[in-house]
């Protein structure tokens, strides 16, 4: 399936990716090799959505790619620009909120994909629970990464139990926001059209398609 030409908004994603590369280069030039490596990994992660869907019958909206890039750029600049220190603790919590919303949207996309292309049948409740669990799991993995980095490289990414737990609470808040929006979308007719955007953005469902859509509202009751 050939994806339609992307909106000009995709250039915003390219711009953010360029800023991440610039941050990586400046960090390496300044001798901050760990920060440069982290920024380089962040750049590769911004490309992951496009690479993962290139050979699939999927076309991610450019807004999803932009949100991934913004979330990773905020993290990179938190270290390179030292905003985690100068704007503490607000910048850290903002970064966690944006990142958790991004991860929760990806979780929603994965659930929608499983429902649309596979034999799996998910109720609205199951999708909401998956969004919450997936986002919190990602947040826990991130905290583990920070702990390991502090122990191995002598960094100062974690600032005690209160900081770690407040980060996870913010992650939960971001997951709840997306879960509520997902529940509303799936409870309305427009939710089915939203699902079609990922599988085939060129497809315009007819009224009969909505009736036969895999997600049956009755199963969410």
């Amino acid at each position: 399936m050939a994806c339609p030409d992307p909106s000009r908004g995709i250039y915003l994603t390219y711009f953010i990716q360029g800023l991440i590369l610039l941050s990586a280069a400046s960090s390496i030039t300044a001798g901050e090799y760990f920060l440069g490596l982290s920024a380089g990994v962040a750049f590769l992660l911004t490309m992951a959505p496009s690479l993962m869907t290139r050979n699939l019958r999927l076309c991610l909206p450019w807004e999803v790619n932009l949100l991934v890039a913004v979330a990773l750029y905020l993290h990179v600049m938190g270290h390179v620009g030292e905003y985690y220190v100068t704007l503490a603790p607000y910048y850290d919590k903002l970064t966690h909120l944006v990142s958790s919303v991004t991860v929760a949207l990806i979780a929603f996309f994965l659930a929608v994909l499983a429902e649309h292309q596979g034999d799996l049948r998910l109720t609205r409740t199951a999708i909401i629970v998956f969004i919450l669990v997936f986002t919190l799991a990602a947040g826990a993995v991130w905290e583990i990464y920070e702990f390991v980095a502090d122990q191995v490289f002598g960094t100062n990414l974690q600032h005690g139990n209160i900081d770690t737990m407040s980060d996870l609470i913010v992650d939960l808040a971001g997951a709840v926001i997306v879960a509520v929006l997902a529940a509303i979308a799936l409870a309305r007719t427009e939710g089915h059209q939203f699902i079609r955007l990922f599988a085939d953005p060129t497809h315009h469902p007819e009224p009969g398609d909505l009736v036969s859509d895999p997600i049956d509202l009755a199963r969410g009751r």
Side-chain angles (χ1 to χ4, degrees), residues 77-78 81-95 156-157 159 163 166-167:
M77 290 307 300
E82 298 185 346
Y83 296 141
Y84 281 139
V85 176
T86 59
L87 300 178
Y90 307 106
Y91 187 89
D92 179 45
K93 305 316 170 192
L94 172 64
T95 302
N156 190 32
L157 301 180
H159 303 280
D163 175 64
S166 61
D167 287 346

Side-chain angles (χ1 to χ4, degrees), residues 57-59 61 108-109 111-117 122 124 127 182 185-201 203 205 210 213-217 219:
R57 293 182 59 83
L58 298 171
C59 294
F108 182 36
F109 160 70
V112 165
L113 174 61
E115 174 74 25
H116 183 78
Q117 291 197 338
L122 298 174
R124 288 200 304 271
I127 292 177
L186 293 175
R188 301 174 58 185
T189 303
E190 289 79 1
H192 300 280
Q193 298 176 358
F194 173 79
I195 292 171
R196 298 290 188 183
L197 289 177
F198 291 108
D200 188 350
H203 176 75
L210 300 181
D213 197 277
I215 294 183
D216 187 353
L217 297 182
R219 291 187 285 107

Side-chain angles (χ1 to χ4, degrees), residues 173-191:
V176 169
I177 291 173
V178 175
V180 170
L181 295 176
I184 294 174
L186 293 175
R188 301 174 58 185
T189 303
E190 289 79 1

Side-chain angles (χ1 to χ4, degrees), residues 54 68 77 139 185 187:
R54 177 172 296 176
V68 171
M77 290 307 300

Side-chain angles (χ1 to χ4, degrees), residues 71-130:
L72 290 167
Y73 177 68
L74 288 175
H75 168 67
V76 168
M77 290 307 300
H79 292 298
V80 176
E82 298 185 346
Y83 296 141
Y84 281 139
V85 176
T86 59
L87 300 178
Y90 307 106
Y91 187 89
D92 179 45
K93 305 316 170 192
L94 172 64
T95 302
H96 273 272
L97 182 61
V98 174
S99 299
S100 61
V101 168
T102 303
V103 172
L105 283 174
I106 293 175
F108 182 36
F109 160 70
L110 292 175
V112 165
L113 174 61
E115 174 74 25
H116 183 78
Q117 291 197 338
D119 296 328
L120 186 63
R121 294 295 179 263
L122 298 174
T123 64
R124 288 200 304 271
T125 301
I127 292 177
I128 292 171
V129 170
F130 177 74

Side-chain angles (χ1 to χ4, degrees), residues 120-170:
L120 186 63
R121 294 295 179 263
L122 298 174
T123 64
R124 288 200 304 271
T125 301
I127 292 177
I128 292 171
V129 170
F130 177 74
I131 292 172
L132 296 174
V133 172
F134 186 92
T135 306
L136 283 177
V141 170
W142 182 263
E143 296 301 326
I144 293 173
Y145 149 74
E146 290 186 337
F147 173 78
V148 172
D150 287 348
Q151 300 302 313
V152 175
F153 300 103
T155 55
N156 190 32
L157 301 180
Q158 288 190 322
H159 303 280
N161 184 62
I162 294 178
D163 175 64
T164 299
M165 295 309 300
S166 61
D167 287 346
L168 292 175
I169 291 173
V170 173

